[in-house]
Amino acid sequence: FSVNYLFIMHIPQLAKDTPLFNNITFVFSLLVIAIIPCFLIFAKAFLDYIIAVASINLMANHILDKGKLTDVEIHKDVMKPRLGGYFALLIILSLAYLILSIPLFWILLIPVCILWSLSIQAYVLEDDISPFKAIQRSYLFVRYNFFKTTLLLILLQILCYIFMPNVFNWLFDKMNLPMLMSNPIDLYVNLLPINEFNNLISQIPWLKLQLVGHQISIWIITTTITCAVYGFMLPIRTIACCELYRDLRGKNITKDDTELKKIVKRATDK
């Protein structure tokens, strides 16, 4: 990002010396090329984050069993042979939620999200289970404990996605940090054809919107802070869902799937 920042700082001089740098397509192409190393670093960090989601479930399970955490790295190693199925599960869940986000299926979105909310815990904490079996197990467990699961998810939603992000954004505003941090981003935003966007928007009578470059920069900073808080709240969300899964498993399951089906059938008949 420093490379891009220095590049943008010198664009006016480069444009004077070389007419090619007056071409916005050419300038943005160079920016994209320069940002590729940053993207690779981000991709590696995102991979580590995804593995951490699974590893924290294993760590929480270990602490709840043993009372302490003896080795952190071993939990990452346990997940490595199962990463293929784990990524398949994440893709299945993402595609399903993407489809359900279509307005036609909105009525199903919340119930399905709740019923499948423990799929990751099921896959991580159970040995030799497929992604589809993990989704099925989450559905069976939550189905008979729907309100308890819903209450926990609501509390986690309020704490991790509403309360804590707003607290951090309020603190940053009090310290005037978004205003200070937005200056480098203004250099990028000001390259955008904002006036052209506003002219297009003005042609839509019912859309009362005016884009301002500095406000876009502030929004980017605020969104970045919010996403960072989401990430750092991961352990709380994961541990809470892990403990819920263990509780529901203790009430509803043996390791034998055949026995599980019998339990569900008896409960359904009753």
Side-chain angles (χ1 to χ4, degrees), residues 13 16 60-61 65 116 140 145-146 175 212 215 220 270:
Q13 185 60 43
K16 290 180 181 178
N61 186 57
D65 279 339
W116 292 6
L140 291 172
N145 298 271
F146 188 82
M175 293 183 287
V212 179
Q215 290 180 358
I220 291 172
K270 182 178 179 181

Side-chain angles (χ1 to χ4, degrees), residues 2 13 32-33 68 77 81 93 98 107 117 119 160 164 181 208-209 211 227 233 262 265:
S2 299
Q13 185 60 43
V32 169
I33 293 171
K68 60 180 180 179
D77 295 335
L93 293 175
L98 182 63
I107 193 171
S117 60
S119 299
C160 300
M164 290 306 296
M181 297 167 65
K208 304 298 182 181
L209 180 65
L211 297 178
C227 290
M233 296 301 289
K262 291 179 182 178
K265 186 177 186 304

Side-chain angles (χ1 to χ4, degrees), residues 1-11 21 23-39 187-192:
F1 287 112
S2 299
V3 172
N4 279 14
Y5 181 77
L6 293 172
F7 175 55
I8 290 175
M9 289 285 290
H10 291 85
I11 281 180
F21 282 92
N23 187 319
I24 192 168
T25 304
F26 176 73
V27 171
F28 267 103
S29 299
L30 290 180
L31 288 173
V32 169
I33 293 171
I35 209 171
I36 287 175
C38 302
F39 175 78
L187 294 173
Y188 292 87
V189 172
N190 290 335
L191 286 175
L192 297 173

Side-chain angles (χ1 to χ4, degrees), residues 105-164:
F105 303 113
W106 278 357
I107 193 171
L108 298 173
L109 180 59
I110 293 178
V112 170
C113 287
I114 295 171
L115 289 168
W116 292 6
S117 60
L118 301 180
S119 299
I120 292 177
Q121 283 71 29
Y123 182 81
V124 172
L125 299 182
E126 306 294 347
D127 295 328
D128 301 323
I129 188 173
S130 70
F132 289 106
K133 282 284 187 181
I135 294 173
Q136 179 190 34
R137 185 155 295 188
S138 174
Y139 169 79
L140 291 172
F141 286 4
V142 176
R143 180 180 176 185
Y144 297 104
N145 298 271
F146 188 82
F147 292 106
K148 180 178 182 177
T149 305
T150 302
L151 178 59
L152 175 65
L153 295 177
I154 290 173
L155 291 174
L156 289 173
Q157 186 79 15
I158 293 172
L159 175 64
C160 300
Y161 295 102
I162 298 175
F163 178 73
M164 290 306 296

Side-chain angles (χ1 to χ4, degrees), residues 33-266:
I33 293 171
I35 209 171
I36 287 175
C38 302
F39 175 78
L40 294 176
I41 294 171
F42 169 80
K44 175 62 169 60
F46 184 73
L47 175 64
D48 291 340
Y49 179 82
I50 293 298
I51 295 174
V53 174
S55 300
I56 290 176
N57 278 287
L58 291 171
M59 295 178 199
N61 186 57
H62 185 83
I63 292 172
L64 292 169
D65 279 339
K66 308 295 184 182
K68 60 180 180 179
L69 183 62
T70 53
D71 190 350
V72 173
E73 292 301 323
I74 193 172
H75 298 286
K76 296 180 182 179
D77 295 335
V78 169
M79 276 307 301
K80 286 179 181 177
R82 305 183 64 199
L83 284 180
Y86 178 55
F87 284 122
L89 173 62
L90 295 178
I91 291 171
I92 292 168
L93 293 175
S94 300
L95 290 175
Y97 296 149
L98 182 63
I99 293 171
L100 292 174
S101 65
I102 299 173
L104 182 64
F105 303 113
W106 278 357
I107 193 171
L108 298 173
L109 180 59
I110 293 178
V112 170
C113 287
I114 295 171
L115 289 168
W116 292 6
S117 60
L118 301 180
S119 299
I120 292 177
Q121 283 71 29
Y123 182 81
V124 172
L125 299 182
E126 306 294 347
D127 295 328
D128 301 323
I129 188 173
S130 70
F132 289 106
K133 282 284 187 181
I135 294 173
Q136 179 190 34
R137 185 155 295 188
S138 174
Y139 169 79
L140 291 172
F141 286 4
V142 176
R143 180 180 176 185
Y144 297 104
N145 298 271
F146 188 82
F147 292 106
K148 180 178 182 177
T149 305
T150 302
L151 178 59
L152 175 65
L153 295 177
I154 290 173
L155 291 174
L156 289 173
Q157 186 79 15
I158 293 172
L159 175 64
C160 300
Y161 295 102
I162 298 175
F163 178 73
M164 290 306 296
N166 283 329
V167 167
F168 273 87
N169 278 312
W170 177 80
L171 289 173
F172 271 61
D173 283 338
K174 285 297 181 181
M175 293 183 287
N176 205 31
L177 290 179
M179 189 68 66
L180 296 175
M181 297 167 65
S182 65
N183 291 331
I185 299 176
D186 284 338
L187 294 173
Y188 292 87
V189 172
N190 290 335
L191 286 175
L192 297 173
I194 295 176
N195 291 332
E196 288 79 354
F197 287 147
N198 285 329
N199 290 335
L200 290 174
I201 293 171
S202 64
Q203 297 177 17
I204 305 175
W206 53 268
L207 187 59
K208 304 298 182 181
L209 180 65
Q210 188 77 11
L211 297 178
V212 179
H214 188 65
Q215 290 180 358
I216 295 173
S217 301
I218 295 292
W219 176 83
I220 291 172
I221 292 296
T222 303
T223 303
T224 302
I225 295 169
T226 300
C227 290
V229 175
Y230 291 167
F232 282 110
M233 296 301 289
L234 166 67
I236 291 178
R237 303 195 308 267
T238 303
I239 292 170
C241 290
C242 176
E243 189 161 5
L244 175 63
Y245 179 83
R246 285 166 53 90
D247 179 55
L248 300 185
R249 179 175 61 179
K251 293 177 180 177
N252 295 286
I253 190 172
T254 66
K255 290 185 178 180
D256 185 0
D257 275 343
T258 304
E259 182 64 20
L260 174 61
K261 291 176 182 177
K262 291 179 182 178
I263 293 171
V264 174
K265 186 177 186 304
R266 287 199 298 271

